[in-house]
Amino acid sequence: MTQAADPYPALPAGVPPFQPPQPAFIRNALTAGWADFRAAPGFGILTGLAAVVAGWALLGLTMWAGHTFWLILAVFGFPLVAPLCALGTYEASRRIGRGESASVGDVLSRLRRERGRQMPWLSMLMVVALLFWFFLGHMIFALFLGLKPMVNVTTSFEVFLTPDGLMMMALGTVVGGIFAFIFFAMCVLGLPLLLAREVDYMTAILASWGHVQAHLLPMLIWAVVIVVLVFLAMLPGLLGLIVVLPWLGHASWHIYAQMAAGER
C-alpha cells in the first residue's frame, strides 16, 4: 500500500543566509503581495474583517466608558501586534509560492500546527509589549494632563493644544515610535522565519534584528510604508484595513523571501 504524503513535511532547520535588500525590494514585495491577495483572498479578507470588527468594538467600549484616550493608545499600539494579525497571509503566500493550495482551511490547519512550535512565545512577547505600551502611555498622559479638567478627548480636544498637551503628544509619539521600531526590527523577518523554518524564537528575533540594523535605511523605509498605508486604511472608519492589512501581510512575506536565500 502506498503511504500517503505527509501534509506537513519537515521544515528546513536554522537561519538562512540573509541577503541585502535590493533597490526595488519594496515595490516587488507590494506587487507580489497584491497578486497573492487576488489569488487567495479568502483568509486575507477574514483577517481584515476581524481587525475592523475588533476596532469598532474597542471604539464602542471606550466611548461608552468615557475613556477615549485609550483608543489613541490602541491606534498607536496597533503596529506592535499587526504582524500577528497578518500571520495567516504569510502562510498563504508561502503556499502559493510552492504551488500548493492556499484555501482558508489549509491556512488555518497550518496555523493550528504552530501551537506546538515557537510562534506562541514570540506572540506572547508581542502581546506583553502592547500591554506595557498601554501602561506607559497612560503614565505619560497622567504626567502631563492628569490634573486637567476634562472628561475625555472627544469633548475636550482643545486640551491637546495646550503646552502640556503638545509636550505629551510629542513624548508619546517618540516613545511609541521607539516601541514600534524595536518590534518591527524583531518581527519583520522573525515571524516569517519561524513559520518557514525550524528555529527557536530568540534566534529568529536576533537574526531579524541584526539584518535590520545592518540595512537600517531601506528597512526603515519599509517600516514607514507600512505605517502610512495602515494609517490611511484606518481613516475611512477602519474599513480600508479589510484590503490593506492582508495586502501588507502578503507583501511582508515577500520582503522575507527576497532576503532569505533560496526560500520558497
Side-chain angles (χ1 to χ4, degrees), residues 52-108:
V52 170
V53 171
W56 286 348
L58 181 61
L59 174 61
L61 180 63
T62 54
M63 293 291 289
W64 172 78
H67 297 291
T68 46
F69 179 70
W70 290 100
L71 185 63
I72 298 176
L73 296 179
V75 169
F76 282 98
F78 180 71
L80 295 179
V81 294
L84 288 179
C85 299
L87 188 59
T89 58
Y90 296 176
E91 173 62 14
S93 284
R94 189 186 75 88
R95 298 181 70 90
I96 291 171
R98 295 165 63 93
E100 301 173 356
S101 170
S103 68
V104 174
D106 293 324
V107 173
L108 287 176

Side-chain angles (χ1 to χ4, degrees), residues 115-184:
R115 292 179 298 176
R117 299 181 67 239
Q118 292 287 303
M119 194 68 72
W121 293 101
L122 183 53
S123 302
M124 184 166 43
L125 184 62
M126 296 170 71
V127 172
V128 170
L130 179 64
L131 295 176
F132 183 70
W133 159 246
F134 276 113
F135 169 78
L136 190 58
H138 192 265
M139 292 299 100
I140 294 173
F141 175 81
L143 179 64
F144 289 97
L145 299 178
L147 299 179
K148 295 291 183 180
M150 54 182 276
V151 177
N152 58 55
V153 298
T154 304
T155 58
S156 308
F157 180 78
E158 64 278 2
V159 75
F160 291 108
L161 301 179
T162 65
D164 285 343
L166 294 174
M167 283 292 293
M168 184 211 68
M169 294 295 289
L171 180 60
T173 299
V174 170
V175 173
I178 292 173
F179 260 76
F181 176 76
I182 289 173
F183 272 81
F184 166 81

